[in-house]
Amino acid sequence: MHIAIVTAGGAGMFCGSCMHDNTWAMALRAAGAEVTLIPTYTPVRLDEEDQSRSPVFLGGINVYLDHALPGWRRIPRPLVRWLDAGWVINLATKFGVSNDAHRLGALTIEMLAGESGPQRREIDELVEFLANDLRPDVVCFSNALLVGVLRRLKERFAGRVYCTLQGDDVFLEALPEPYRGRAIAAIGERAGEFDGFLVHSDYYRDFMSNYLALPVERFHRITLGIDLTGHFGQPGERDNNPFTVGYFARICAEKGLAELVEAFRILHAKHPRTKLKAGGYLGKQERGYFERVRDRAGELGEAFEYIGSPATHAEKVEFYRSLDVLSVPTVYHEPKGLYVLEALANGVPVVQPAHGAFPELLAATGGGLLCRPGDPDDLAAKLEELLLDRERRLALGRAGRAAVHARFDPRTMAAATLAAFGGTRAPSDQCR
């Protein structure tokens, strides 16, 4: 089976969806499938080996110029195609190219218009590559915002086309009106033409089925998996002094770093020999937010440390191993939670809000505690429980580590995917 995964680059940042799609492609190849990982908008940025082999399609510079300069789309395509080169796009991202939904409302509507929008020639190039050059058995888009390509693709491609949903609503809800309503309506109108949808949790299946008014029977749940290379930490192997709470995710308001700092201030007031270490990508548009968080954490002194964004997989693993517990108290309802699995893979238990996919992840792994969403006192109390009860903390770490290595590995994810695509049989509890 030949599978084409059309992923969306993260505009120069480490992106959870890109990480997932890259690991997914690697796992499917290891399972015997032929896989082509196709980046769109920008190249993917990863801390593991890049599995993409094709050029960037729907290059972000040209897509934006088609939107901003009506005359641009009349320039012969060969004269502007060089702007889709990965190195050119990567250079542009260093000068403030943004994927901030607040600024992209009109462009989003244009892209969703597909064959009738100003980016139609870029869409036709991707369709030509998929239908004529690549000719896979299955195409899978990494998000519903690529649905503008679907109608033209269905005209030229006889195979099945799926869509992975992994946080689409977060972007859509950030769009200002009237773009938000128009975008949701446009996706709902076209999304029914997909042959099916892939999700990683029952929560997100039910939510997106209702959000886009799609039959729940058309959804396949695919077990989330991570690249376990190097993730062999054992619970308690460090036994930190001071006790160290960690955060590892993109630095932004929706991921909840400010909420964790508030909870940690409560914990630190009672237990001064504690530390909070934060890591993750910090984009230019989020620097004001981070400065406000750092100001709020000022009284903590050296007890709060931001280590930046680890550049390699090994550095990321080393960060996890330096923690006693991880917490990323997202404000939005998380559909995946890769950082939960990465922490647990190293025996580091987690404390997460009781919403989104987190209750399912912790029920499946036994690797942590749930707290009341938006309640820093309860989050602090749960962190304190793990500080005071070492044996419970280690037991949670052991349970989480065993579960992730046994059931959230790339092989399980690939088997469930091939079953959904009709390529093989998956364990009965892995795909519904």
Side-chain angles (χ1 to χ4, degrees):
M1 177 179 284
H2 183 185
I3 302 168
I5 300 173
V6 183
T7 191
M13 71 179 181
F14 289 110
C15 165
S17 295
C18 299
M19 297 282 192
H20 165 270
D21 293 347
N22 195 71
T23 300
W24 192 27
M26 178 176 62
L28 287 166
R29 285 190 182 126
E34 182 182 355
V35 181
T36 306
L37 181 62
I38 304 166
T40 57
Y41 306 132
T42 72
V44 295
R45 184 182 179 190
L46 308 160
D47 60 18
E48 57 190 36
E49 183 182 354
D50 188 349
Q51 300 294 311
S52 63
R53 300 289 185 267
S54 83
V56 175
F57 285 87
L58 299 173
I61 299 173
N62 274 311
V63 162
Y64 177 77
L65 292 174
D66 284 340
H67 157 73
L69 303 174
W72 189 262
R73 66 196 75 154
R74 292 192 290 271
I75 299 175
R77 181 71 175 131
L79 297 181
V80 299
R81 188 176 286 115
W82 66 276
L83 291 171
D84 294 336
W87 70 269
V88 177
I89 297 173
N90 283 334
L91 182 63
T93 62
K94 295 180 180 180
F95 293 94
V97 171
S98 173
N99 59 0
D100 184 353
H102 293 91
R103 305 177 182 179
L104 298 177
L107 179 56
T108 298
I109 298 301
E110 289 180 355
M111 286 298 300
L112 292 173
E115 70 285 347
S116 62
Q119 293 82 21
R120 56 187 172 271
R121 65 178 180 178
E122 284 84 1
I123 288 173
D124 283 343
E125 282 189 350
L126 175 57
V127 169
E128 175 74 14
F129 177 71
L130 288 168
N132 284 358
D133 299 341
L134 203 61
R135 293 187 288 181
D137 300 295
V138 174
V139 175
C140 190
F141 292 110
S142 70
N143 63 72
L145 292 159
L146 289 164
V147 74
V149 180
L150 181 59
R151 195 160 291 170
R152 185 76 89 186
L153 179 61
K154 281 286 194 174
E155 294 173 358
R156 306 277 302 279
F157 177 66
R160 288 163 292 154
V161 186
Y162 291 83
C163 180
T164 304
L165 301 173
Q166 46 183 335
D168 308 66
D169 63 300
V170 179
F171 180 88
L172 290 169
E173 289 300 310
L175 290 172
E177 291 291 7
Y179 303 114
R180 174 183 168 275
R182 292 172 60 191
I184 294 172
I187 292 173
E189 177 190 350
R190 290 176 176 247
E193 299 172 28
F194 282 113
D195 291 286
F197 303 89
L198 309 183
V199 293
H200 299 296
S201 64
D202 289 344
Y203 152 72
Y204 209 56
R205 174 198 63 199
D206 296 340
F207 176 83
M208 291 302 288
S209 171
N210 180 67
Y211 191 76
L212 296 178
L214 297 166
V216 72
E217 295 78 16
R218 301 190 59 210
F219 286 70
H220 304 267
R221 180 184 172 190
I222 304 298
T223 302
L224 191 62
I226 62 170
D227 179 4
L228 291 168
T229 303
H231 288 291
F232 296 112
Q234 295 288 347
E237 66 182 1
R238 186 168 179 268
D239 265 347
N240 293 326
N241 188 13
F243 179 86
T244 302
V245 178
Y247 167 101
F248 189 77
R250 185 162 57 92
I251 306 298
C252 59
E254 58 266 30
K255 293 290 187 181
L257 178 59
E259 285 70 19
L260 180 58
V261 166
E262 287 304 303
F264 182 76
R265 290 174 71 246
I266 297 169
L267 178 72
H268 187 69
K270 296 175 66 176
H271 303 278
R273 291 187 60 78
T274 52
K275 185 172 183 178
L276 174 59
K277 291 175 65 174
Y281 177 82
L282 175 60
K284 291 181 180 179
Q285 66 269 28
E286 302 295 348
R287 288 180 183 171
Y289 164 79
F290 180 65
E291 288 304 317
R292 292 190 294 274
V293 171
R294 190 153 57 184
D295 289 345
R296 185 65 175 157
E299 66 189 55
L300 297 171
E302 294 182 358
F304 173 69
E305 178 186 7
Y306 171 59
I307 61 123
S309 182
T312 67
H313 185 80
E315 289 176 358
K316 178 173 68 176
V317 172
E318 182 181 0
F319 173 77
Y320 281 119
R321 289 184 181 177
S322 72
L323 309 177
D324 288 298
V325 60
L326 178 89
S327 183
V328 181
T330 60
V331 176
Y332 71 98
H333 290 194
E334 170 65 68
K336 296 196 303 290
L338 289 171
Y339 40 80
V340 169
L341 298 182
E342 290 175 339
L344 295 180
N346 290 282
V348 178
V350 301
V351 177
Q352 292 298 118
H355 60 40
F358 298 135
E360 291 176 53
L361 275 179
L362 295 193
T365 61
L369 305 177
L370 294 171
C371 64
R372 288 191 296 271
D375 187 338
D377 291 293
D378 192 51
L379 174 53
K382 295 301 192 299
L383 293 171
E384 186 179 32
E385 285 183 36
L386 299 186
L387 183 157
L388 296 176
D389 192 341
R390 177 181 182 275
E391 290 309 312
R392 187 181 187 197
R393 184 173 78 244
L394 296 183
L396 291 171
R398 285 192 294 269
R401 183 184 185 281
V404 170
H405 282 265
R407 301 197 303 276
F408 293 86
D409 59 305
R411 182 180 300 178
T412 302
M413 179 168 60
T417 303
L418 292 173
F421 292 163
T424 188
R425 183 184 179 118
S428 59
D429 64 336
Q430 298 301 333
C431 185
R432 309 177 191 184

